[in-house]
Amino acid sequence: MKTEICDQFGIDFPLFAFSHCRDVVAAVTNAGGFGVLGGTAYTPDQLDQELTWIDEQVKGKPYGVDIIVPAKFEGKGENLSFGQLAERIPEDFRGFINDLLAAHDIDVSDQPRMAASSLSGDTGASLLEVSLSHPIKLMANALGVPPDYMIEAGKQTGIPVAALVGAKEHAIKQVNAGVDLIVAQGTEAGGHCGEVTTLVLIPEVIEAIEAIGKPVPVLAAGGIVTGRQMAASVALGAAGAWTGSVWLTTEEAETAPYTVQKFLAATSRDTVRSAGRTGKPSRQLVSDWTDAWAPHEGGRQPLPLPLQNMIAEPVLRRIDKLAEGGHPGAQALATYFVGQGVGLMNKVKPAREVVLEFIEDYLAAAERLSRSLDD
Amino acid sequence: MKTEICDQFGIDFPLFAFSHCRDVVAAVTNAGGFGVLGGTAYTPDQLDQELTWIDEQVKGKPYGVDIIVPAKFEGKGENLSFGQLAERIPEDFRGFINDLLAAHDIDVSDQPRMAASSLSGDTGASLLEVSLSHPIKLMANALGVPPDYMIEAGKQTGIPVAALVGAKEHAIKQVNAGVDLIVAQGTEAGGHCGEVTTLVLIPEVIEAIEAIGKPVPVLAAGGIVTGRQMAASVALGAAGAWTGSVWLTTEEAETAPYTVQKFLAATSRDTVRSAGRTGKPSRQLVSDWTDAWAPHEGGRQPLPLPLQNMIAEPVLRRIDKLAEGGHPGAQALATYFVGQGVGLMNKVKPAREVVLEFIEDYLAAAERLSRSLDD
């Protein structure tokens, strides 16, 4: 099997797997796909350890690293300290969240501290430096135009730079900035996402970057959890698929058991695009937490990134722990980044098996389309 | 070219075209596709005339009729008069709309009367009766489970009954009710739509109706304005595509010139899913009107169907007329049902040419997918 990028990336099957879990990254790469480790949540030392482990597993086979460096965030360019950022959180905000927690029988006397948000972008450069000391074959930025130092590093090392976009205007900006691979991600995607669906976005992005004479390859992302959807993406003109959610219910993933059960039970209508977690709209499971924030009817307007994230993330981590322990109120509040494809994720499987099923399903879909041409 | 339904419907290419315009319906049918006339806005006499005209044009080639009969609406089963329904509209509602119009320099002294909503479902039976006196090859209901009399008519006449669904649960309900053809419509569709995207919904619906052992054919709908998107749908397992928006910018369509210009200029991000027009969420162009209603920030909660429609429709028709005449305030308020595919609609063409381009683009997409299998 082959699209324009298989040779470039040294892969058999143009399936890119984004995961925070090194085991998934290695398993996908070893099965002929391309694993991409989400590196943003690690310290530079931790990331170094994770990548060393992956290197031992994949023995030279290709993988990449994704580091979120948002193009826009509250306080950007102002060089604010954590404390100064924290001062921008309205006084009654903590009260609003405490009321929500109390209504779910969660003790609010022992409040988690606010967390410095990894989304504020200050650790990106050192994470990238660590990554470049490993034989990575792709560096990606999942939020906005990659920072200059990433584009520059790409030029110097020859390692392709990928960027995620949710609109054709952003794709044009990214290509003009020097990005080598566009991941066009539809609104059905888990995590940060735009409003345009994958089926519309892919042809729109491809048309737009062809029109400016810079036709870099485009991967389709958003809602893709099966080979037939990947085949559909290639029919649309994509060079392959970028996936995330589908790996959350693999055996290798570190997803907590309670969360896995929620994923397996969820239908595609159990997700919502909400800014209530990070301050930017991201798709996640519907819960009493997402219901508490606009645009849900009567919900409060979230703060901008990274303020919402600073206050919400530690609270949500505590909620996750309580939910795992069986706390009913916490279980009603718990939410997780996942795309609409969760409706098609109904069984826990090894990551390798997911790759093999993708290939089989892709072939069947190609055969189905080919058969439609017979008279 | 052939999928499972081409023989059943006597067509060369499984492209279904929904339009309110008889000229589009006839042109698509005559080009080898399947035209479907949206019949809800007509009186029974008018519909009879339209269908007679189509009969003369298509000379026995197949076409269908779509009549919207919503499964749920305010006052359903209560046998309310127009006046009784109108009494359920809150007193300050007219004031809210008048303020919005006045802020756009529109004279509010001469208010349009409320309109009896065709969406309240009372004329459906007589429209269907008229349709059945013509050689239609499909009857469709675009909103919820078709009424018993439509299912019954389908059984008696052998004419297939189609229904639009936006969720797999609805597909199961429809198939169990006896529907012969499911149109699974993603959130990117123009008009009434659900929340799940076409790329996720199609495999989810097909899997769900296979699981209950009633695998009726599924057409893909939502965002489809090109042959490559139709090919993607067939790769996903659909038997063809159901389209709507793409015909709005054809030469045959009766779309007003100002509206056509808005469509040609719009990108996929210029639509919104809002209940501000009919009381049920429907996708349309973003405008100051859609911004005035929730879930837009600070927007007012719309009334349920058909109340919102009764008050909004006459006002929006007046706005359309003023907008056509060049009134800037009305142009800012004017909105139109259209899907995200509007971003790919950039030129006015004859409907026949759109069909031929679909075929050509479908073939190219199938070829692209097939080529990806070469080693």
Side-chain angles (χ1 to χ4, degrees):
Chain A
M1 202 166 310
K2 186 164 282 188
T3 68
E4 57 192 294
I5 60 165
C6 286
D7 282 345
Q8 182 185 2
F9 286 97
I11 49 180
D12 300 326
F13 188 59
L15 174 62
F16 288 68
F18 171 87
S19 175
H20 291 103
C21 172
R22 65 187 190 183
D23 299 80
V24 171
V25 172
V28 171
T29 284
N30 281 330
F34 192 101
V36 180
L37 186 72
T40 305
Y42 296 108
T43 64
D45 278 354
Q46 288 170 335
L47 182 60
D48 193 40
Q49 285 171 32
E50 301 295 295
L51 297 183
T52 301
W53 184 90
I54 291 174
D55 291 338
E56 287 161 7
Q57 301 298 313
V58 303
K59 300 184 180 72
K61 289 199 202 73
Y63 73 93
V65 175
D66 184 300
I67 297 163
I68 295 183
V69 188
K72 270 191 239 170
F73 51 88
E74 177 76 13
K76 181 170 183 176
E78 298 178 56
N79 238 334
L80 298 178
S81 71
F82 175 67
Q84 285 169 315
L85 267 173
E87 275 169 24
R88 300 201 177 179
I89 295 176
E91 277 184 27
D92 68 329
F93 215 79
R94 170 66 75 183
F96 173 77
I97 290 178
N98 279 352
D99 290 349
L100 180 65
L101 296 179
H104 287 81
D105 297 321
I106 295 178
D107 179 16
V108 293
S109 61
D110 173 33
Q111 295 179 1
R113 295 174 57 92
M114 269 186 282
S117 171
S118 56
L119 292 178
S120 59
D122 38 6
T123 55
S126 39
L127 290 174
L128 185 64
E129 202 186 315
V130 164
S131 303
L132 289 170
S133 71
H134 293 266
I136 60 168
K137 297 290 185 295
L138 179 74
M139 45 189 145
N141 176 36
L143 208 59
V145 176
D148 291 345
Y149 59 77
M150 191 182 278
I151 299 280
E152 198 46 48
K155 280 189 197 146
Q156 285 181 9
T157 60
I159 300 167
V161 175
L164 265 75
V165 304
K168 73 167 179 179
E169 294 80 3
H170 301 161
I172 292 171
K173 219 184 275 184
Q174 304 266 27
V175 170
N176 283 333
V179 158
D180 306 293
L181 181 65
I182 291 288
V183 181
Q185 177 176 273
T187 189
E188 50 267 75
H192 293 108
C193 61
E195 294 173 89
V196 185
T197 74
T198 305
L199 188 71
V200 172
L201 185 66
I202 302 306
E204 212 181 9
V205 162
I206 291 174
E207 191 180 88
I209 63 183
E210 275 173 359
I212 59 166
K214 295 177 178 172
V216 309
V218 174
L219 295 179
I224 302 175
V225 301
T226 65
R228 68 193 65 189
Q229 293 168 301
M230 182 172 166
S233 306
V234 171
L236 289 173
W242 176 279
T243 54
S245 300
V246 69
W247 311 105
L248 294 171
T249 50
T250 56
E251 284 178 6
E252 288 86 349
E254 284 153 5
T255 318
Y258 171 72
T259 311
V260 169
Q261 290 315 310
K262 266 208 161 182
F263 285 155
L264 297 179
T267 78
S268 58
R269 293 200 292 169
D270 293 325
T271 75
V272 65
R273 188 172 171 263
S274 165
R277 181 149 200 158
T278 70
K280 267 178 99 84
S282 67
R283 189 170 295 283
Q284 53 206 288
L285 282 183
V286 170
S287 78
D288 285 1
W289 180 271
T290 60
D291 283 355
W293 306 98
H296 190 81
E297 199 183 331
R300 178 164 182 150
Q301 196 61 33
L303 297 172
L305 179 92
L307 302 183
Q308 183 77 14
N309 196 57
M310 283 168 62
I311 193 163
E313 201 54 40
V315 175
L316 284 165
R317 277 195 206 148
R318 188 170 163 221
I319 287 171
D320 284 350
K321 259 195 201 148
L322 289 170
E324 278 307 322
H327 187 298
Q331 293 187 346
L333 282 166
T335 178
Y336 313 89
F337 291 129
V338 75
Q340 288 189 339
V342 72
L344 294 160
M345 290 157 47
N346 304 317
K347 209 183 147 204
V348 174
K349 297 169 195 165
R352 183 181 180 79
E353 192 177 316
V354 173
V355 177
L356 299 180
E357 281 183 8
F358 252 86
I359 295 174
E360 198 179 333
D361 199 40
Y362 183 100
L363 292 172
E367 167 62 21
R368 187 158 47 232
L369 183 56
S370 169
R371 225 170 30 235
S372 75
L373 304 183
D374 297 344
D375 265 330
Chain B
M1 198 166 313
K2 184 166 284 188
T3 68
E4 56 193 296
I5 59 166
C6 286
D7 282 345
Q8 183 185 0
F9 286 98
I11 48 180
D12 301 325
F13 188 59
L15 174 62
F16 288 68
F18 171 86
S19 175
H20 292 103
C21 172
R22 64 186 190 184
D23 299 80
V24 170
V25 171
V28 171
T29 284
N30 280 331
F34 192 101
V36 180
L37 187 73
T40 305
Y42 295 109
T43 64
D45 278 352
Q46 286 169 336
L47 182 60
D48 193 40
Q49 285 171 30
E50 301 295 294
L51 298 183
T52 301
W53 185 90
I54 291 174
D55 291 337
E56 287 161 8
Q57 301 298 312
V58 303
K59 302 185 178 70
K61 289 199 202 74
Y63 72 93
V65 175
D66 184 300
I67 297 164
I68 296 183
V69 188
K72 271 192 238 170
F73 50 88
E74 176 77 14
K76 182 172 183 173
E78 296 178 57
N79 237 333
L80 298 178
S81 69
F82 175 67
Q84 286 169 315
L85 268 172
E87 275 169 23
R88 300 199 176 181
I89 297 176
E91 277 184 26
D92 68 330
F93 215 79
R94 171 66 74 182
F96 172 77
I97 290 178
N98 279 351
D99 289 350
L100 180 65
L101 297 179
H104 287 82
D105 298 320
I106 294 178
D107 179 17
V108 293
S109 61
D110 172 34
Q111 296 180 0
R113 296 173 57 90
M114 270 185 282
S117 171
S118 56
L119 292 176
S120 58
D122 39 5
T123 54
S126 37
L127 290 175
L128 185 65
E129 203 185 314
V130 165
S131 303
L132 289 170
S133 70
H134 293 266
I136 61 168
K137 296 289 185 294
L138 179 74
M139 47 189 143
N141 176 36
L143 207 61
V145 176
D148 292 344
Y149 59 77
M150 191 183 278
I151 300 277
E152 199 45 48
K155 279 188 197 148
Q156 286 181 9
T157 59
I159 300 167
V161 175
L164 264 75
V165 304
K168 73 168 179 179
E169 295 80 3
H170 301 164
I172 292 171
K173 217 184 275 183
Q174 303 268 25
V175 170
N176 282 334
V179 158
D180 306 292
L181 181 65
I182 290 288
V183 181
Q185 178 177 272
T187 189
E188 52 267 75
H192 293 108
C193 60
E195 293 173 90
V196 185
T197 73
T198 304
L199 188 71
V200 172
L201 185 66
I202 303 305
E204 212 180 10
V205 162
I206 291 173
E207 190 180 271
I209 62 181
E210 274 173 1
I212 58 166
K214 295 178 179 171
V216 307
V218 174
L219 295 180
I224 302 175
V225 300
T226 64
R228 67 192 66 189
Q229 293 168 302
M230 182 172 166
S233 306
V234 172
L236 289 172
W242 175 280
T243 54
S245 300
V246 70
W247 311 105
L248 294 171
T249 50
T250 56
E251 283 178 7
E252 288 86 348
E254 283 154 5
T255 318
Y258 171 72
T259 310
V260 169
Q261 290 314 311
K262 268 209 160 181
F263 286 155
L264 297 180
T267 79
S268 58
R269 292 201 292 168
D270 293 325
T271 75
V272 64
R273 188 172 171 264
S274 165
R277 180 149 200 159
T278 69
K280 267 179 101 84
S282 68
R283 189 169 295 283
Q284 54 205 287
L285 282 184
V286 170
S287 77
D288 285 0
W289 180 271
T290 60
D291 283 356
W293 306 98
H296 189 81
E297 202 184 328
R300 177 162 184 153
Q301 197 61 34
L303 298 172
L305 180 92
L307 301 184
Q308 183 77 14
N309 196 57
M310 281 167 61
I311 193 163
E313 201 54 40
V315 175
L316 284 165
R317 277 195 208 148
R318 188 169 162 220
I319 286 171
D320 283 351
K321 259 193 203 152
L322 289 170
E324 278 307 322
H327 187 297
Q331 292 186 345
L333 282 166
T335 179
Y336 313 89
F337 292 129
V338 75
Q340 289 189 341
V342 72
L344 294 160
M345 289 156 48
N346 305 316
K347 209 183 148 206
V348 174
K349 297 167 196 166
R352 181 180 181 80
E353 192 177 316
V354 173
V355 177
L356 299 180
E357 282 184 7
F358 253 84
I359 295 174
E360 198 180 333
D361 199 40
Y362 183 101
L363 292 172
E367 166 63 19
R368 187 157 50 232
L369 183 56
S370 169
R371 225 169 32 231
S372 76
L373 305 182
D374 297 344
D375 265 330

